């Protein structure tokens, strides 16, 4: 029996001449391994696409002429950085106009500094209140004189009418003061709106990202909702893919994933599974997933095709042999079992490819001794001299 199951393979020392002699003369030296069953953590492989985490077309919020561009295609920007500067001259005039109208209304209310007097203390209300008080005093004197028959009745009636007129003027002044307070609120809102429009002449980035496309030029007149820039967030990128439904029980949010892209074929990029769709696509019999892929250096581009591998919770006991131990011809895969110094070809059914190894579903039993490499020239019945292959990695890796 062979003492160790391992991953790397040592080349066979036999020559082509030795192989021909192995059929009936001198035994052919071959490297062999013992087939063993092992626990295999399952990984699921799929193809997907890298997308920007966020992508938006930034639009103008006011009508104005483009004064200058603060960023252009390919520029990295932070949230709040200016993208496009619009001409603000006319909007400054509007702000000044609204501020002047506001100050006029405050003056009519008798404002001193930032504070406003109570409605009862506004100038117009105080004036009509004084007139009302004076009319009340005149009426009181007229009644005293009338009681002593010293004032004609028409004079008493005139005093009564003057008091009623003064009371109506005072009530009207109070109503006017309330209206001025409402007008003041409207003026303040109009000033804030004008200030906001002036602020919006600088079109800013809504988030950290890269300018993917510039849509306006200096001197161009833009209206409200005119697109000016397209912005994408490059870090992290969002991976989207579909996974066969049979893997649903063994996947969960938080699982590690690894991707490769054509631009960097020898580089594994690690990420994390972040979302799983609750339902299965009826046509593809697969469910959608999303993952976060770090891209701090901006090397990966949104829209890139990606090959993804995700580690699952599923662990199977299975037989795995070196890929170099399998001879494939005309769609038929065989391994060569060594029995009493002779080769016996055993057809096998292969499962998943696992880097330098391949899973065997049927055709060879644990404990069998098979040729580990250099099997293309071998044939059933050859006489061989077996040597244990020098291998060291029973569990893992490679892609």
């Amino acid at each position: 029996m062979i003492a160790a199951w391992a991953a790397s393979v040592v080349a066979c020392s036999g020559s082509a001449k030795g192989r021909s002699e192995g059929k009936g003369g001198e035994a052919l030296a071959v490297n062999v391994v013992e087939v063993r069953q092992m626990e295999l953590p399952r990984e699921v492989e799929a193809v997907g696409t890298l997308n920007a985490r966020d992508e938006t077309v930034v639009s103008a919020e006011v009508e104005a002429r483009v004064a200058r561009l603060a960023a252009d295609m390919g520029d990295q920007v932070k949230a709040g950085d200016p993208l496009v500067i619009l001409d603000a001259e006319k909007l400054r005039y509007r702000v000044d106009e609204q501020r002047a109208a506001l100050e006029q209304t405050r003056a009519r209310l008798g404002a001193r500094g930032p504070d406003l007097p109570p409605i009862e203390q506004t100038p117009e209300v105080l004036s009509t209140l004084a007139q009302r008080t004076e009319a009340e005093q005149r009426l009181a004197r007229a009644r005293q004189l009338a009681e002593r028959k010293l004032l004609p009745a028409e004079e008493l009636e005139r005093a009564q009418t003057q008091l009623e007129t003064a009371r109506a003027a005072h009530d009207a002044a109070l109503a006017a003061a309330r209206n001025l307070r409402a007008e003041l609120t409207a003026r303040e809102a109009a000033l804030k709106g004008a200030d906001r429009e002036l602020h919006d002449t600088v079109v800013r980035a809504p988030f950290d990202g890269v300018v993917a496309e510039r849509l306006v030029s200096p001197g161009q007149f833009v209206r409200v909702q005119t697109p000016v820039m397209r912005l994408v967030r490059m870090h992290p990128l969002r991976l989207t893919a579909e996974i066969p439904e049979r893997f649903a029980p063994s996947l969960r949010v938080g699982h590690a994933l690894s991707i490769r892209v054509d631009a960097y074929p020898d580089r594994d990029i690690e990420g994390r599974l972040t979302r799983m769709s609750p339902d299965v696509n009826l046509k593809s019999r697969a469910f959608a997933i999303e993952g976060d892929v770090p891209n701090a250096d901006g090397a990966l581009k949104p829209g890139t095709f990606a090959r993804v591998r995700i580690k699952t919770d599923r662990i199977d006991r299975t037989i795995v042999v070196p890929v170099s131990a399998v001879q494939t011809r005309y769609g038929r895969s065989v391994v060569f079992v060594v029995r009493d110094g002779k080769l016996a070809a055993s057809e096998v059914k292969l499962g998943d490819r696992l880097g330098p190894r391949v899973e065997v579903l049927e055709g060879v039993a644990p404990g069998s001794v098979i040729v580990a490499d250099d099997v293309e020239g071998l044939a059933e019945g050859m006489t061989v001299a077996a040597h244990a292959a020098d291998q060291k990695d029973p569990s893992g890796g490679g892609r």
Side-chain angles (χ1 to χ4, degrees), residues 16 27 31 57 70 81 132 158 206 213 229 248 250 278 291 298 334 368 385:
N31 295 321
V57 175
D81 284 354
R132 174 180 172 177
R158 184 179 295 112
E213 186 177 7
M229 296 273 182
S250 56
V334 299
S368 301

Side-chain angles (χ1 to χ4, degrees), residues 126-360:
L126 289 174
S127 175
T128 56
L129 178 61
Q131 294 173 8
R132 174 180 172 177
T133 302
E134 182 181 359
E136 290 173 344
Q137 293 171 352
R138 283 199 301 268
L139 179 60
R141 289 194 298 269
R143 284 174 176 169
Q144 292 174 357
L145 293 173
E147 289 174 355
R148 292 185 289 173
K149 307 298 183 181
L150 298 176
L151 187 71
E154 59 268 19
E155 291 295 330
L156 180 61
E157 292 175 356
R158 184 179 295 112
Q160 181 69 39
T161 301
Q162 289 175 348
L163 175 58
E164 291 175 356
T165 301
R167 285 175 176 171
H170 182 249
D171 291 341
L174 286 172
R178 294 188 184 95
N179 287 335
L180 281 176
R181 278 295 186 94
E183 181 181 336
L184 180 67
T185 301
R187 295 291 187 188
E188 289 174 342
L191 178 59
K192 290 179 180 177
D195 275 332
R196 178 54 193 261
E197 288 185 345
L198 181 61
H199 177 268
D200 288 341
T201 56
V202 180
V203 183
R204 299 181 181 275
F207 51 77
D208 296 355
V210 177
V211 177
E213 186 177 7
R214 170 172 60 90
L215 303 172
V216 294
S217 300
Q220 179 179 343
F221 185 82
V222 298
R223 299 187 181 277
V224 177
Q225 297 184 353
T226 298
V228 296
M229 296 273 182
R230 185 165 63 87
L231 190 68
V232 296
R233 192 194 298 274
M234 297 289 290
H235 173 67
L237 293 179
R238 183 176 68 244
L239 171 76
T240 57
E242 284 196 338
I243 303 298
E245 59 181 328
R246 69 178 183 275
F247 290 101
S250 56
L251 282 181
R252 57 182 172 81
V253 171
H255 274 169
L257 59 84
S258 177
I259 70 166
R260 283 194 179 182
V261 297
D262 290 341
Y264 305 98
D266 298 324
R267 175 184 170 190
D268 285 320
I269 303 163
E270 304 301 322
R272 184 115 356 229
L273 183 63
T274 56
R275 294 181 184 275
M276 296 172 56
S277 174
D279 59 2
V280 172
N281 186 304
L282 296 178
K283 293 182 179 179
S284 64
R285 308 310 306 178
F287 60 95
I289 64 161
E290 291 186 5
D292 279 349
V293 178
N295 189 35
D297 59 359
L300 302 175
K301 305 300 182 186
T304 299
F305 173 84
R307 299 171 183 84
V308 57
R309 298 175 68 194
I310 307 174
K311 296 180 180 179
T312 73
D313 291 331
R314 179 178 168 185
I315 298 178
D316 292 337
R317 290 192 60 82
T318 187
I319 294 172
V320 178
V321 301
V323 173
S324 57
V326 180
Q327 182 188 91
T328 301
R329 291 180 180 174
Y330 309 110
R332 179 173 176 265
S333 297
V334 299
V335 296
F336 290 94
V337 180
V338 179
R339 296 180 184 143
D340 300 326
K342 298 285 187 179
L343 293 183
S346 178
E347 185 171 356
V348 291
K349 180 180 179 180
L350 303 180
D352 294 337
R353 173 74 181 263
L354 308 167
R357 287 160 300 283
V358 64
E359 179 185 12
V360 176

Side-chain angles (χ1 to χ4, degrees), residues 12-55:
C12 176
S13 59
S15 62
K17 179 179 178 181
R19 289 189 179 279
S20 62
E21 291 173 344
K23 294 182 179 179
E26 181 182 350
L28 174 67
V30 293
N31 295 321
V32 295
V33 293
E34 179 184 348
V35 175
R36 289 188 178 180
Q37 199 172 46
M38 61 182 294
E39 289 189 350
L40 180 67
R42 284 294 183 182
E43 294 182 342
V44 56
E45 296 188 359
V47 294
T49 303
L50 293 177
N51 301 292
R53 167 61 59 185
D54 295 300
E55 179 176 349

